[in-house]
Amino acid sequence: MKRSASTIALTALAPVSWGTTYAVTTEFLPPDRPLFTALTRALPAGLLLLAVTRVLPKGAWWWKALVLGALNIGAFFPLLFVSAYRLPGGMAAVVGSVQPLFVVGLSALLLSQRPAARTLVTGAVAALGVSLVVLQGAGALDVIGVLAAVASTASMAAGTVLTKRWGRPDGVGPLALTGWQLTAGGLLIAPVALLAEGAPPALDARAVGGYLYLALANTAVAYWLWFRGIGRLNATQAAFLGPLSPLTAAVVGWAALGQSLTSVQVAGMVVAFGATLGGQLGGGAGRGGDRSSSFPERNGHKVSTDLTERSLRR
């Protein structure tokens, strides 16, 4: 039990770190370069981990690493930014907050895990809590933005469940597996970023510092902790840590950027955090076995209030 609690705590550091992405993007990075930012987060971190581990895929793991890298990084990052730019503040986070339910459904299909009713209710409550934190006034919904948000959520959920299903090759640790996925995802993003945004922008010292933080702490270390946790927790437990990302972003906006939190947002944070704890205590899987763990980065890659609006445009 003590080991499980420490594993949950370490894994939770990943979505907490991802929750700082919005503030760093807003305050340190050049505007209107979402794909370049996605590329600099993924590829340098992946190459660094490859250099550290000196382990390359073998056999079937070449295509498995490519599939996982595409789902968890290469498709997820661009779709995430498309939804962020095209949807009103907070809506992408609300769509992302249902990812635990996506993971539960895919786990039933691919891992033979039957969800308990408690898990489904807890997932719905988590989504409700996040919506109270991030949703603001009504606005017209962009169809492409909504489809991109749903696709990004489904992509990460599929990557989570397949990570669980395939596990890791013998003798390969989570650090090497993380490096494979980040490198594959970054290489997929590179041509898209070049075609859509052109040459890289000029960078000042603040931007360099921001990109270094995103590539090292926010991506290399955070994704290593995440995939390590996926190997030790069940899929649903990991999935229910996702709401910590938008909640962290809201807290950072309040504490560091002087943004206000309404009583409704505070209530939503309590509800979402309570559902996150409930997802851990519930153990996640219904019948049909656990197979060990899962779920990745996203679950609200966006926050409410001014921070969300500013992040959308940067």
Side-chain angles (χ1 to χ4, degrees), residues 15 18 41 76-77 156 223 226 245 295-299 301:
W18 295 326
R41 284 188 68 189
F76 170 67
F77 278 4
M156 187 54 111
Y223 269 99
W226 186 255
S245 178
F295 177 126
E297 176 176 351
R298 158 104 169 139
N299 225 78
H301 241 310

Side-chain angles (χ1 to χ4, degrees), residues 74-310:
F76 170 67
F77 278 4
L79 288 168
L80 172 65
F81 282 115
V82 168
S83 66
Y85 270 83
R86 301 184 71 107
L87 292 179
M91 181 57 69
V94 174
V95 176
S97 69
V98 302
Q99 188 169 339
L101 299 180
F102 274 56
V103 170
V104 167
L106 289 172
S107 294
L109 290 174
L110 299 178
L111 304 181
S112 300
Q113 295 178 358
R114 295 186 222 170
R118 173 179 176 176
T119 301
L120 297 174
V121 172
T122 305
V125 171
L128 172 63
V130 171
S131 69
L132 292 176
V133 176
V134 301
L135 266 187
Q136 298 185 76
L141 295 184
D142 181 274
V143 174
I144 294 177
V146 171
L147 292 176
V150 173
S152 68
T153 301
S155 178
M156 187 54 111
T160 294
V161 175
L162 284 178
T163 300
K164 179 63 183 174
R165 180 181 177 88
W166 289 338
R168 297 193 304 268
D170 292 339
V172 174
L175 202 63
L177 182 64
T178 303
W180 298 351
Q181 294 187 54
L182 288 172
T183 302
L187 290 174
L188 291 173
I189 294 172
V192 179
L194 182 62
L195 289 174
E197 297 179 353
L203 304 178
D204 58 17
R206 285 176 64 83
V208 170
Y211 282 125
L212 284 174
Y213 168 78
L214 290 181
L216 298 177
N218 190 263
T219 302
V221 174
Y223 269 99
W224 167 64
L225 289 172
W226 186 255
F227 290 122
R228 174 184 176 274
I230 286 179
R232 302 185 182 193
L233 302 174
N234 68 54
T236 311
Q237 277 182 303
F240 273 105
L241 295 175
L244 294 176
S245 178
L247 298 184
T248 299
V251 171
V252 169
W254 168 74
L257 303 180
Q259 298 168 359
S260 61
L261 287 173
T262 67
S263 57
V264 172
Q265 288 178 306
V266 173
M269 293 174 70
V270 173
V271 169
F273 188 70
T276 298
L277 292 178
Q280 309 311 312
L281 298 176
R287 301 173 186 171
D290 169 9
R291 291 202 192 181
S292 183
S293 99
S294 58
F295 177 126
E297 176 176 351
R298 158 104 169 139
N299 225 78
H301 241 310
K302 278 194 59 43
V303 202
S304 64
T305 67
D306 298 336
L307 180 56
T308 304
E309 295 293 348
R310 294 165 65 191

